[in-house]
Amino acid sequence: MYLQERVVENRLIGYPDQGIYKLVLYGQVAKSAKPGQFVHIQVSDTYDPLLRRPLSIAGIDQDREEVTIYYRVAGKGTDLLTRISVNEQVSALGPLGTGFTIPHTGELLLIAGGIGVFPLYSLIQVLSTAKVSVKLLWGGENQEFLESADFNYLKYLGVDYEVSTLDGSLGYQGLVTDLLEKELKTSKTPTGKEIKSARLLRAAACGPRGMLKAVTAICLKNDIPVEVSLEERMACGIGACLGCVCTVRGKDGNLKRKRVCKEGPVFDGEEVAWDAEV
Amino acid sequence: MQKFNGMQDFDFTTRLGDLILKNPVITSSGTYGFGEEYTDYCSPAYLGAITVKGITPLPRLGNPVPRLAETPSGLLNSVGLENPGLEDFLRSYLPKLSNLHTAVIVNISGFSLEDYALLASALQDYASPNNSTNITSNSSGIAALEVNISCPNIKHGGMAFGTNPKNAEEVIAVVRKNTNLPIIAKLSPNVTDIAEMAKAVESGGADIISLINTLLGMSIDIQTQKPILANKMGGLSGPAVRPVAVRMVYQVYQAVPLPIIGMGGLTTWQDAVEFMLAGASAVSVGTANFLNPLAPLEILSGLEEYCTQRGYNSIRKLVGLAHRTC
């Protein structure tokens, strides 16, 4: 939908040099938004930058008709976004894209790298009332980053989590993929696979492409279905321009393109042709 | 969904030779998918025509990502003609296009003269019943072919046809031989003399000229010190290219008597007026759809208001006014 949403909140959270902002929009998007979807926001009235900015939805409050978005200032577009004041209207297309599968039972393991945690927040929030047990593994650069990316909100949601940092300033020192390997080892009986089917374990991940590739490999090795949320440069956001494609391997073994904005941003990790360079 | 309620007494009918459209606002190939993508925002039924994504004889995966790079007021793309190929287009896409209640222009691309011949003759079988006196809109089938002789994003063919007048003439002549549909020749701006190209496609048998395609460009990331696009180079579109496009429309209007579809950075109704004053009988909205899916409707309303305020009862009165000598 083509919408005007009212800005309820748009402020820096955490340490200033982390540049992470929380944006809350009031309007129609919240009514139909699902975890893993995004909004395509116009950040400027001029032609520079020309395109809208796709931002993943981190929180959905249907009663208050609000969606929460976190973003990190990375360039001209996100910098202009920080200058939009409370009560201003912004032009938004959304909610767009295909989100995560929402399980109704079993266990869901979430794996996040850096600001890739944001779309997973909405999944945690939606599942907080469901009969699904959720655990988040989240890796970041350091403690300052994790705290700035609203770590407190995670604690408030009451989800089971483990974190890793590159410098060891918080949690495990190392990569989130190490946490994932450890998690799968400890949660398995010596016979391994049996317990997995009994537990209905699934996984969902978001983060840098290299991390998602590694996470997918680890999950598939353990027979765990995994969904990944991908990022790509986007223009239209609605599937018309073919700017943001992802290469997948079809059931016939042939390579195909899918649109990150339309069939994605969430894909089955197994179908993504991680090494394709065509 | 936004509506467009034009005034009853204003004549929007647009004549491009035998191709008669209900109004002059078209959407550009490669920016409007197969028409379905925008139906939540803007009904294609309000448009004069839509131009679908370029079709090649065989399916194409197109170029790797990144395919997009933003530049000041512009967008570089290197999609590389990703498309389902002729067979799947006819089977899966064309039937749905007929339900959109607008004229459908099919953009065709090839790597050889044989490719163009094959596409033209295959698509001829799906021509909409056009009797050159009625507006093409609700009838099913294809209203016209737009011949892409100017894609900058493929290594062979494409722009090679579009930058050499003799080759351009040959391609159009081959298409002419294989179709009765109105032929729109889409010109590349990556040439020294656009008038010469216009004359060449006229000799080849084109009925209509559309211009401009994108300008070949490049953008380099100063952190990685590498080109941003995987394909290194791409086509520049968006408001940045508009003055180049207006100039070329102006020159082509003077060079040949064929009707012109003006495009290139056209974003607002004011831009549409500018293109029509330069000599375009119709205008095409491309990259602007990405910023604002309602752009084609806003352009229609603005055109009508501009004309009625000046006492023009027909959109056709606007065409070429910038060429008046007094």
Side-chain angles (χ1 to χ4, degrees):
Chain A
M1 278 189 287
Y2 181 86
L3 303 163
Q4 293 292 320
E5 299 272 299
R6 182 165 57 82
V7 175
V8 174
E9 188 177 334
N10 185 23
R11 63 182 176 88
L12 181 87
I13 56 169
Y15 296 93
D17 58 348
Q18 292 290 336
I20 295 173
Y21 282 71
K22 181 180 181 183
L23 170 68
V24 179
L25 298 177
Y26 170 85
Q28 301 274 317
V29 172
K31 285 189 181 163
S32 56
K34 294 187 180 65
Q37 289 189 301
F38 68 95
V39 285
H40 212 25
I41 293 179
Q42 188 185 328
V43 295
S44 162
D45 292 332
T46 72
Y47 298 148
D48 190 17
L50 189 63
L51 301 173
R52 290 168 178 266
R53 289 293 178 270
L55 299 167
S56 62
I57 295 167
I60 304 157
D61 190 330
Q62 279 174 340
D63 296 336
R64 297 173 63 124
E65 295 170 56
E66 288 176 0
V67 288
T68 300
I69 288 156
Y70 295 94
Y71 62 95
R72 188 175 213 174
V73 177
K76 199 184 273 171
T78 38
D79 185 53
L80 283 169
L81 189 56
T82 67
R83 300 183 205 178
I84 297 174
S85 315
V86 169
N87 286 327
E88 270 188 68
Q89 302 279 328
V90 291
S91 165
L93 306 182
L96 298 176
T98 307
F100 293 104
T101 305
I102 312 289
H104 298 288
T105 177
E107 287 178 55
L108 183 68
L109 195 54
L110 304 176
I111 308 103
I115 57 172
V117 76
F118 297 144
L120 299 179
Y121 278 166
S122 60
L123 197 49
I124 296 169
Q125 183 205 10
V126 165
L127 288 171
S128 62
T129 53
K131 288 180 193 158
V132 180
S133 102
V134 181
K135 180 165 184 180
L136 172 73
L137 307 175
W138 180 21
E141 200 179 342
N142 52 37
Q143 180 174 6
E144 274 197 11
F145 165 75
L146 294 178
E147 284 176 0
S148 300
D150 221 355
F151 196 15
N152 280 333
Y153 176 64
L154 197 64
K155 293 176 185 163
Y156 161 80
L157 286 172
V159 68
D160 189 12
Y161 65 83
E162 261 182 84
V163 297
S164 67
T165 50
L166 291 178
D167 62 0
S169 52
L170 195 69
Y172 168 82
Q173 181 172 5
L175 298 171
V176 73
T177 43
D178 300 342
L179 285 184
L180 176 61
E181 298 257 28
K182 285 205 306 183
E183 174 68 24
L184 293 176
K185 234 175 251 168
T186 54
S187 61
K188 258 199 213 171
T189 63
T191 48
K193 286 182 184 174
E194 239 176 298
I195 196 154
K196 179 237 133 197
S197 53
R199 290 172 56 198
L200 284 171
L201 185 59
R202 309 172 58 89
C206 184
R209 190 174 168 95
M211 177 214 121
L212 293 179
K213 182 185 163 185
V215 164
T216 300
I218 296 166
C219 287
L220 295 181
K221 195 175 70 192
N222 288 277
D223 284 332
I224 299 166
V226 57
E227 286 185 332
V228 294
S229 177
L230 299 180
E231 191 176 43
E232 192 52 65
R233 288 165 179 265
M234 262 176 211
C236 71
I238 59 174
C241 73
L242 309 183
C244 66
V245 294
C246 155
T247 309
V248 300
R249 199 170 290 283
K251 289 199 173 88
D252 54 7
N254 293 330
L255 294 179
K256 290 197 307 179
R257 307 280 198 209
K258 285 193 174 178
R259 299 165 292 187
V260 172
C261 68
K262 192 83 180 180
E263 287 84 27
V266 176
F267 291 92
D268 178 352
E270 195 173 1
E271 73 169 337
V272 176
W274 295 101
D275 295 313
E277 275 187 43
V278 288
Chain B
M1 192 174 63
Q2 200 77 11
K3 290 215 162 71
F4 174 70
N5 300 309
M7 280 180 245
Q8 291 301 314
D9 50 352
F10 183 74
D11 184 6
F12 253 134
T13 311
T14 298
R15 294 171 186 281
L16 302 165
D18 287 348
L19 178 63
I20 305 173
L21 305 178
K22 62 185 141 194
N23 67 58
V25 177
I26 301 171
T27 52
S28 306
S29 178
T31 67
Y32 223 66
F34 292 100
E36 283 182 310
E37 290 80 358
Y38 284 91
T39 47
D40 285 351
Y41 305 93
C42 159
S43 169
Y46 294 118
L47 304 174
I50 61 168
T51 315
V52 300
K53 177 77 193 158
I55 302 298
T56 51
L58 296 173
R60 280 179 59 84
L61 279 177
N63 291 328
V65 290
R67 290 177 169 184
L68 302 171
E70 242 177 326
T71 63
S73 307
L75 173 66
L76 281 166
N77 88 80
S78 65
V79 171
L81 284 176
E82 176 181 339
N83 80 92
L86 176 65
E87 201 186 315
D88 195 30
F89 168 71
L90 292 175
R91 188 181 47 230
S92 311
Y93 295 91
L94 189 58
K96 286 189 227 163
L97 279 163
S98 302
N99 301 329
L100 298 177
H101 303 293
T102 188
V104 173
I105 299 169
V106 177
N107 182 288
I108 58 171
S109 259
F111 301 88
S112 64
L113 291 175
E114 291 73 30
D115 282 355
Y116 285 101
L118 174 82
L119 289 162
S121 70
L123 293 166
Q124 171 65 35
D125 297 341
Y126 301 85
S128 85
N130 195 340
N131 57 16
S132 82
T133 49
N134 292 328
I135 294 173
T136 307
S137 59
N138 293 323
S139 49
S140 60
I142 300 166
L145 296 184
E146 181 178 61
V147 185
N148 182 6
I149 52 169
S150 50
C151 181
N153 285 325
I154 50 175
K155 290 197 173 66
H156 313 288
M159 207 165 69
F161 288 121
T163 52
N164 176 314
K166 202 169 155 286
N167 293 351
E169 184 180 339
E170 263 178 17
V171 173
I172 298 299
V174 158
V175 175
R176 178 76 293 159
K177 229 181 271 170
N178 287 280
T179 189
N180 298 319
L181 281 164
I183 296 175
I184 305 166
K186 186 167 183 178
L187 299 188
S188 168
N190 302 301
V191 296
T192 314
D193 186 351
I194 195 74
E196 187 189 18
M197 297 303 299
K199 286 174 189 158
V201 296
E202 186 197 12
S203 315
D207 303 294
I208 302 158
I209 290 176
S210 64
L211 77 167
I212 58 173
N213 204 322
T214 54
L215 281 149
L216 192 58
M218 191 179 200
S219 193
I220 297 170
D221 184 326
I222 64 163
Q223 300 306 323
T224 64
Q225 306 183 329
K226 285 180 178 151
I228 293 176
L229 299 174
N231 193 48
K232 298 187 178 69
M233 289 177 246
L236 182 65
S237 63
V241 310
R242 198 182 76 233
V244 177
V246 170
R247 181 264 295 179
M248 289 188 163
V249 167
Y250 189 91
Q251 287 178 311
V252 169
Y253 183 82
Q254 288 182 330
V256 295
L258 299 183
I260 297 167
I261 302 171
M263 65 180 87
L266 195 149
T267 308
T268 64
W269 68 262
Q270 289 92 337
D271 302 343
V273 170
E274 194 183 359
F275 271 94
M276 297 189 89
L277 295 175
S281 296
V283 292
S284 195
V285 186
T287 301
N289 292 305
F290 306 158
L291 331 180
N292 176 14
L294 304 184
L297 296 183
E298 293 173 4
I299 289 167
L300 269 177
S301 310
L303 279 175
E304 178 174 301
E305 203 179 323
Y306 179 87
C307 287
T308 48
Q309 274 177 3
R310 279 163 182 76
Y312 309 143
N313 58 2
S314 151
I315 193 71
R316 299 185 297 279
K317 299 219 164 129
L318 216 51
V319 179
L321 289 183
H323 294 267
R324 281 175 303 187
T325 45
C326 55

